[in-house]
Amino acid sequence: MTAYSQVMPRTDVADVAVVGAGPVGMTAAALLGAQGLRVVVLERNATTSDEPKAISLDDEALRIYQAAGIVDRILRVIVPGIGTRYYDAHGHPVFQARSPRPYRLGHPFKNPFAQPDLERELHAHLSAQPNVEVRMQAELVGLAQDADGVEVRHRHTTDGTTGAVRATNVLGCDGGRSPVRTLLGVGMTGRSHAEAWLVADVLDDHHDERYGMHHGDPRRPYVIIPGRDGRCRYEFLLHPGEGTPEDDVDFALVKRLLGPFRTIAREQVERAVIYRFHGLVADRWRVGRAFLLGDAAHMMPPFAGQGLNSGIRDAANLCWKIVDVLAGRLTDAALDTYEQERRPHAEATVRLAERLGRIVMTTDPRFAARRDARLRAALQDPATRAFYEEMRYRPNHAYRAGLTVPAPPGGPPAGVLVGQPRVFDTAGATIGLLDDVLGPGWALVGVGITADQLGVAATAAARLAPRAVRVAVDDRLPVGPGRLIVDVDGHLDDEFAPYAGRAVLIRPDRFVAASWTPGDEPDLTTALLLANQPQPLDAPVLART
């Protein structure tokens, strides 16, 4: 790291410092800023990235952007996608993977986009927030932690001036070569893959499909992902001697590999790089007041389309916990559940991406022939076809441990993500998405219970200040005080059917924390690590103390 100036830098105060203004860092800043925290983002580059690296946002990520108040901006830059089509060794389609329940989370399922467009929208949003500051050309040069906070030291990459941010927490969202992770002394476990891939992002392309295409041709596996306005990504497995990540990409190589698909001119190549993919997970995701998110915490091959989406999930899991700790609703120990909850899913997603790469992108002709024959035979069974077409092989994003109250034997599950159906809200006589009705914090949903019973449940969860609503069931419209939401298309009833007759406590990230029948309230204080003294977020915490 660059030596730090001997001159004492100016120290600014914030609630959270974010290192890295890529999509994950700016997403975290948007989530924190939406809840009133003062956030400073440090980025060593002079501008947002002009390289289209990540290329797919799923419906869960879009829901997270909805929580941050910026989904309308993000929808401007996506193609509303429908999944991935897989082809056999001879170029014939085998099956198409789609969402098992389209729009269950309130947004399109799997959506191509260009990362420069996403970063520009995120940066424009943050620049308009009075409590968020993005400092470009601010290179991290040091971290110093104590019992009360962390000092994040930075240096301007052009004029060498130094500064520091004093915050309660720092988020390392600074990529696979994370300087934050290096300063913390955290290693990574896993493997890097020897195969080299050419990734070419091109313009003026004829592909207009709303799905990605994975071709399992053992002679040269390849991927095609169309984007908006004539953009398209091509990925080709390279043969030995065609190039390594250390090489500058020769336009002749790009032209040759794209030859079977289109003609290409130099000016139509937006980016061409050679990658080796990695399956690595950081050994620790928290060190004191510092946390790792996104590629700083885990790197995975692209074949599951979950690299950026996993980082966005990291931000969604951690940021609301930081908000609640600073507000005095949760104890600091609640922040330990970030890694506890997110690591198993991230590790499982890394394994899935590696497994898909081995199977779909094999270069062994005999293995590919057996793969294709067995898959075509298996798809004759409707249940097996549904397994593949509905992507049931994806790791289930649910929490077995963490900030949840375990369900009793035979009871409805905790730690699962609630869908986002459209609902009729009697408070305003409007139809909208569930999250907009529940609001940004905790929610308490009474499913077919009385207003009085919901009031008792709200008292049990009072330290979390949940918004309480009732769900009408059995095609009835009950009377009584308080907010009532009503099913309009069958999906609200489907989501809450397992919880009929119960109070359901839903976390700000829309996972079920607990549910119980009236009169059988659980001990939320211990299970959810509740604190004793809530306080309003009216100023940076360090300034208050």
Side-chain angles (χ1 to χ4, degrees):
M1 302 297 292
T2 305
Y4 194 61
S5 172
Q6 297 298 313
V7 179
M8 288 297 292
R10 187 188 80 181
T11 300
D12 297 312
V13 174
D15 289 306
V16 178
V18 177
V19 180
V24 173
M26 288 194 285
T27 299
L31 288 166
L32 295 166
Q35 298 307 307
L37 269 64
R38 171 158 168 71
V39 183
V40 175
V41 183
L42 306 175
E43 169 57 49
R44 67 180 178 180
N45 292 318
T47 65
T48 56
S49 175
D50 60 358
E51 293 188 355
K53 303 170 190 173
I55 198 168
S56 178
L57 287 172
D58 63 20
D59 49 353
E60 193 171 348
L62 291 178
R63 187 182 190 181
I64 292 164
Y65 285 127
Q66 179 188 344
I70 53 176
V71 71
D72 289 344
R73 278 186 174 273
I74 307 307
L75 291 176
R76 300 173 187 170
V77 302
I78 69 165
V79 174
I82 54 175
T84 302
R85 182 171 293 182
Y86 291 91
Y87 295 78
D88 66 13
H90 305 287
H92 302 132
V94 181
F95 72 93
Q96 184 153 331
R98 303 170 180 260
S99 169
R101 288 177 55 188
Y103 217 69
R104 176 178 175 248
L105 299 186
H107 298 283
F109 173 57
K110 189 176 183 183
N111 310 284
F113 75 102
Q115 183 165 327
D117 294 340
L118 175 66
E119 291 197 18
R120 281 192 294 269
E121 293 294 343
L122 289 168
H123 187 271
H125 169 77
L126 295 179
S127 297
Q129 307 309 304
N131 55 320
V132 178
E133 180 185 358
V134 182
R135 298 182 185 174
M136 308 303 288
Q137 293 183 275
E139 180 183 23
L140 176 71
V141 294
L143 294 174
Q145 301 193 52
D146 56 37
D148 298 318
V150 56
E151 184 174 277
V152 184
R153 302 168 183 171
H154 59 86
R155 180 182 62 85
H156 195 279
T157 57
T158 300
D159 61 27
T161 56
T162 59
V165 179
R166 176 78 174 170
T168 54
N169 296 109
V170 59
L171 309 186
C173 307
D174 48 349
R177 297 178 180 177
S178 169
V180 171
R181 191 181 65 234
T182 299
L183 287 173
L184 296 175
V186 175
M188 300 193 86
T189 298
R191 62 185 294 255
S192 295
H193 297 265
E195 300 87 353
W197 285 75
L198 173 71
V199 178
D201 292 287
V202 302
L203 305 174
D204 305 320
D205 200 84
H206 65 280
H207 283 100
D208 59 3
E209 295 88 346
R210 289 171 49 218
Y211 50 85
M213 292 160 274
H214 287 220
H215 286 262
D217 183 349
R219 295 170 300 177
R220 189 189 298 276
Y222 63 96
V223 178
I224 302 174
I225 305 176
R228 284 177 63 97
D229 304 320
R231 279 195 175 106
C232 191
R233 170 166 294 182
Y234 293 84
E235 301 177 1
F236 300 97
L237 179 65
L238 295 183
H239 296 155
E242 289 185 319
T244 71
E246 294 73 34
D247 299 332
D248 292 330
V249 177
D250 188 346
F251 175 70
L253 175 65
V254 177
K255 185 176 181 179
R256 176 166 61 85
L257 294 184
L258 284 173
F261 307 97
R262 59 167 292 177
T263 58
I264 189 76
R266 288 182 185 273
E267 61 271 18
Q268 293 174 312
V269 180
E270 192 172 28
R271 181 184 74 141
V273 295
I274 297 175
Y275 274 122
R276 284 196 179 98
F277 300 126
H278 308 281
L280 300 167
V281 179
D283 298 331
R284 299 174 65 188
W285 294 17
R286 179 186 188 184
V287 179
R289 295 181 173 275
F291 298 85
L292 301 175
L293 294 80
D295 283 356
H298 45 72
M299 290 185 282
M300 60 191 68
F303 304 115
Q306 289 298 300
L308 173 58
N309 293 294
S310 292
I312 293 172
R313 290 189 187 97
D314 294 344
N317 182 286
L318 177 60
C319 287
W320 72 264
K321 294 173 182 175
I322 291 176
V323 170
D324 275 11
V325 169
L326 297 186
R329 288 186 284 268
L330 301 178
T331 67
D332 183 77
L335 301 181
D336 289 332
T337 67
Y338 160 59
E339 180 177 351
Q340 182 184 23
E341 292 179 346
R342 283 292 303 135
R343 174 183 282 274
H345 186 261
E347 290 179 334
T349 305
V350 170
R351 291 193 297 269
L352 171 65
E354 292 181 319
R355 188 163 62 250
L356 286 173
R358 289 194 301 270
I359 295 172
V360 178
M361 301 303 173
T362 182
T363 57
D364 183 335
R366 290 177 297 180
F367 180 89
R370 293 196 302 270
R371 173 201 65 196
D372 295 344
R374 291 177 181 177
L375 186 56
R376 290 191 181 279
L379 291 174
Q380 300 305 308
D381 174 60
T384 304
R385 176 172 285 275
F387 174 82
Y388 286 105
E389 291 187 338
E390 297 179 4
M391 300 179 72
R392 297 179 187 175
Y393 48 80
R394 295 193 305 170
N396 185 29
H397 192 195
Y399 303 137
R400 296 186 179 90
L403 287 185
T404 61
V405 178
V416 296
L417 184 63
V418 173
Q420 188 183 196
R422 295 182 184 89
V423 301
F424 182 88
D425 178 13
T426 59
T430 58
I431 294 176
L433 291 172
L434 177 65
D435 290 1
D436 294 333
V437 174
L438 297 183
W442 290 80
L444 185 65
V445 178
V447 186
I449 64 177
T450 68
D452 289 342
Q453 289 170 329
L454 183 60
V456 173
T459 299
R463 274 189 272 177
L464 296 169
R467 176 175 291 185
V469 301
R470 286 188 294 155
V471 172
V473 299
D474 298 328
D475 295 329
R476 298 177 183 273
L477 192 68
V479 298
R483 200 165 194 169
L484 182 72
I485 56 176
V486 182
D487 188 16
V488 293
D489 58 9
H491 296 313
L492 178 66
D493 287 348
D494 289 345
E495 286 295 332
F496 285 99
Y499 303 97
R502 302 175 75 88
V504 186
L505 183 63
I506 300 176
R507 307 183 337 176
D509 60 357
R510 304 315 180 205
F511 283 79
V512 174
S515 72
W516 62 89
T517 55
D520 192 24
E521 288 76 15
D523 176 14
L524 300 177
T525 300
T526 301
L528 302 184
L529 301 172
L530 303 189
N532 294 319
Q533 300 296 328
Q535 54 183 307
L537 283 173
D538 55 357
V541 167
L542 285 170
R544 290 199 298 269
T545 56

